[in-house]
Amino acid sequence: MTTLAEQLPTFGQYLLNRYGERVHKIALDTAFTCPNRDGTKGLGGCTFCNNVSFSPNGRRPKPISEQLQAGREVIRKRTGANKYLAYFQAYTNTYDSLDRLTERYDEALAEQDVIGLSIGTRPDCVPDGVLELLSGYQAQGYEIWLELGLQSAFDETLEQVNRGHGFAEYQDAVLRARSRGIKVCTHLIAGLPGETSQHNRESLRRVTALGTDGLKLHPLHVVKGTRLANSWRNGEYTPLTMNDYIQIAADLVEQAPDNIVWHRLTGTASETILLTPAWCAFKWQVLNGIARELQRRRQSCRNVA
């Protein structure tokens, strides 16, 4: 069986081709918050977000330098990589004053083996000042990715999960970022309440029609301490089966333009809070299932031809 990396452009392969060596992301939590939980846009966050982790007393992240060191020690043992992207992952990493953002980004880039930034954020939290800052880093030769958590291109779905923004905000952010040459990675979720595989395909169509450089896809998982968990317990929400997810992921890979870089094709939550679906915890089974399905489809096409 051929692997996913052999069948489509993955982010790891993109970085290897660009830099001639392995480059890995190190996830960071720098205590940023979110406008959908601090009252600016809403309270409680999205229906699938773990509210327990919203307690400020429960989030005292280590300094950026310590997080990077811990990450590089693990990665070097596993792959031998010597270059890294600082991945500002937790919560909304453009939601602060420009001075504070600059301070934190600069701290990460001060590490000699950090060659760029990947900034996870919401489409409604990307002011021009932030884009100018990221564009400036890129002009200095750093690898810069803006990761926008869209999840769905349907406003009805975004409203149902209490996202706090619509597709229009995403469209605006993408156009402004790409006009400055900043690479965009769009996050999509399969299995959102009320959505079918047709919704997933249409979301992808709208996203790629606007222009995005990368994609992240993962199944909706139910975790403790969320409103989605209550809906699931009450029989109001049924998660995707693994086979359903594999079919959707394969559909989207086939539909996406060839130049799209796939940053992720599945994901899960910590086993300490994951409720369902249990198969989400088996990352490689899911990825191998997607690879097998893509290979099966391509073989079927060759046989027909």
Side-chain angles (χ1 to χ4, degrees):
M1 183 191 76
T2 57
T3 65
L4 278 173
E6 294 171 311
Q7 298 189 60
L8 71 157
T10 63
F11 190 50
Q13 191 62 47
Y14 159 84
L15 292 171
L16 179 62
N17 293 340
R18 183 173 174 85
Y19 295 99
E21 62 181 290
R22 289 181 178 274
V23 180
H24 279 266
K25 295 167 75 171
I26 299 177
L28 303 175
D29 181 352
T30 54
F32 288 117
T33 184
C34 172
N36 200 22
R37 71 185 187 101
D38 70 1
T40 303
K41 286 289 183 76
L43 295 170
C46 303
T47 60
F48 49 77
C49 286
N50 177 256
N51 295 320
V52 174
S53 63
F54 288 173
S55 170
N57 294 326
R59 274 184 80 218
R60 291 198 177 97
K62 294 180 179 180
I64 288 175
S65 59
E66 291 186 24
Q67 293 186 57
L68 288 170
Q69 179 58 25
R72 66 165 63 91
E73 287 177 359
V74 172
I75 291 169
R76 281 177 180 169
K77 289 179 181 177
R78 192 174 74 231
T79 70
N82 292 302
K83 289 183 179 178
Y84 309 96
L85 295 182
Y87 179 22
F88 287 79
Q89 179 184 32
Y91 300 96
T92 306
N93 294 277
T94 57
Y95 185 56
D96 211 326
S97 70
L98 196 58
D99 287 344
R100 197 172 180 203
L101 293 174
T102 303
E103 178 184 352
R104 295 186 184 185
Y105 299 162
D106 283 353
E107 184 178 350
L109 292 173
E111 303 282 326
Q112 290 188 349
D113 52 6
V114 173
I115 64 169
L117 305 173
S118 194
I119 309 294
T121 190
R122 292 163 53 93
D124 55 343
C125 294
V126 191
D128 285 338
V130 169
L131 294 178
E132 292 299 331
L133 176 62
L134 297 182
S135 178
Y137 290 134
Q138 189 163 270
Q140 296 174 48
Y142 290 110
E143 180 78 21
I144 302 296
W145 283 84
L146 181 67
E147 299 201 22
L148 296 177
L150 173 61
Q151 321 311 355
S152 170
F154 290 87
D155 287 347
E156 315 89 81
T157 301
L158 297 176
E159 183 177 357
Q160 184 175 352
V161 299
N162 196 43
R163 188 69 187 161
H165 67 76
F167 187 73
E169 287 89 339
Y170 168 81
Q171 180 178 25
D172 175 64
V174 167
L175 294 178
R176 287 186 294 111
R178 299 189 89 238
S179 72
R180 293 168 169 83
I182 298 171
K183 294 183 286 293
V184 173
C185 174
T186 302
H187 295 207
L188 296 173
I189 294 178
L192 288 165
E195 290 205 345
T196 65
S197 59
Q198 184 175 349
H199 289 88
N200 301 135
R201 291 192 293 270
E202 179 61 15
S203 285
L204 181 64
R205 188 197 66 77
R206 295 181 188 181
V207 163
T208 53
L210 269 180
T212 188
D213 304 279
L215 287 168
K216 275 189 177 180
L217 177 69
H218 72 79
L220 182 62
H221 42 263
V222 182
V223 298
K224 297 175 183 178
T226 64
R227 280 172 283 177
L228 181 63
N230 294 332
S231 296
W232 169 67
R233 291 190 185 97
N234 294 333
E236 299 165 356
Y237 173 72
T238 302
L240 294 173
T241 66
M242 185 166 74
N243 185 64
D244 286 342
Y245 181 73
I246 287 171
Q247 297 301 318
I248 291 171
D251 287 347
L252 300 190
V253 167
E254 289 184 329
Q255 178 183 334
D258 291 339
N259 63 338
I260 290 290
V261 177
W262 286 93
H263 291 231
R264 184 177 66 197
L265 269 169
T266 191
T268 188
S270 166
E271 61 181 13
T272 61
I273 62 171
L274 178 64
L275 293 174
T276 193
W279 58 263
C280 280
F282 303 104
K283 172 184 173 182
W284 288 107
Q285 288 187 24
V286 179
L287 293 177
N288 289 337
I290 296 170
R292 282 193 297 270
E293 176 61 18
L294 289 170
Q295 189 173 6
R296 184 195 66 79
R297 293 183 184 193
R298 287 163 183 165
Q299 184 61 48
S300 296
C301 289
R302 287 194 291 268
N303 291 341
V304 170

